[in-house]
Amino acid sequence: MIARLLQDSEAKDAARATCPERDVDEVLARVAWNVLAEPGDGVAGALIAELGPVEALRVATDADAVLVPPVTPPRALQEAIERWRPRASPHAVLDALHGAEAVRARLVLPGDALWPAAMDDLDVHAPTMLWVRGDAGLLSAEPRYW
């Protein structure tokens, strides 16, 4: 899946439009993770933390990929992969990016200046990225009411 996304000029252009300051490969992988995994999916978070979003996506969606050593218990990883692979569609990722462009949403990724530090408290259960419309600076503004 990730190989097809990285070769798709339309997907790369859409990723650049929603998050121009970050590496396009990482943006595409994080949007794909947003499509594949449920919010708070700790197995996905652990895999991304260990391998990075691009390589983790390769492991999750490539039937021939082998993860050695496993970063999560093998059974948990296998069960997660079985949940993720039916959703592994480059078309769904492209639809998400086009939808973001249509409503002028941008992406905020972990490590960005606008990333809310409180999200890091969620550790492997933190979002892989945030879709933001409007003033992204409000994510970190004080006082917080969330």
Side-chain angles (χ1 to χ4, degrees), residues 6 9 55 57 67 106:
L6 296 178
S9 62
E55 186 58 27
L57 187 61
L67 179 61
R106 61 169 295 187

Side-chain angles (χ1 to χ4, degrees), residues 14-30:
R16 282 187 196 102
T18 57
C19 195
E21 63 280 353
R22 293 295 290 264
D23 175 70
V24 70
D25 295 4
E26 180 181 2
V27 173
L28 286 171
R30 287 191 178 276

